[in-house]
Amino acid sequence: MADARGTQQENMDLVARAGSGIRTGFTEADRELFARDAVFHFFNPQLPELVGDHHGFEGISSFFDRLGETSDTGFHNEPHSLTPFGDELVVAYATNTVSFGGAAIDVDAVVVWRVFEGRIHEIWDIPAINTVRPHE
């Protein structure tokens, strides 16, 4: 078993690989990043059609496909930081850009990833919905 720093780095590497899939589109090879029963929890009152729990690799990859289709210009994610907490949690901070009705907006978000046994098991997306701003 890896020491705490090794486990934390492995978890951050795994989350970074998943983040790459979010930005470029998931491939079949990305399936190995997720536990079979992985769950992505999403809540955003501005996007009620996407609110809910998205299960497994198919549900998670489908969520990001649908999010990209909902936006006029697709979904863009700019990662800022990854921080491990213990041997199981990684917190990511990113700015997401979407466009509705021709107006692009930036939304800051924190995403909590629960990782163990070398797989992503749970993801919580927490958008800063009260401080949305025009994209520059």
Side-chain angles (χ1 to χ4, degrees), residues 43-108:
F43 177 78
N44 184 331
Q46 304 302 316
L47 297 169
E49 65 276 14
L50 296 174
V51 167
D53 291 343
H54 305 273
H55 297 270
F57 175 73
E58 290 84 4
I60 294 166
S61 61
S62 174
F63 167 85
F64 286 102
D65 290 344
R66 289 175 46 216
L67 181 58
E69 292 165 1
T70 300
S71 171
D72 300 337
T73 57
F75 171 75
H76 304 280
N77 172 273
E78 180 183 342
H80 300 297
S81 67
L82 285 177
T83 305
F85 290 93
D87 290 344
E88 192 170 329
L89 300 175
V90 175
V91 176
Y93 163 56
T95 300
N96 300 317
T97 303
V98 291
S99 177
F100 303 107
I105 57 171
D106 289 336
V107 180
D108 292 322

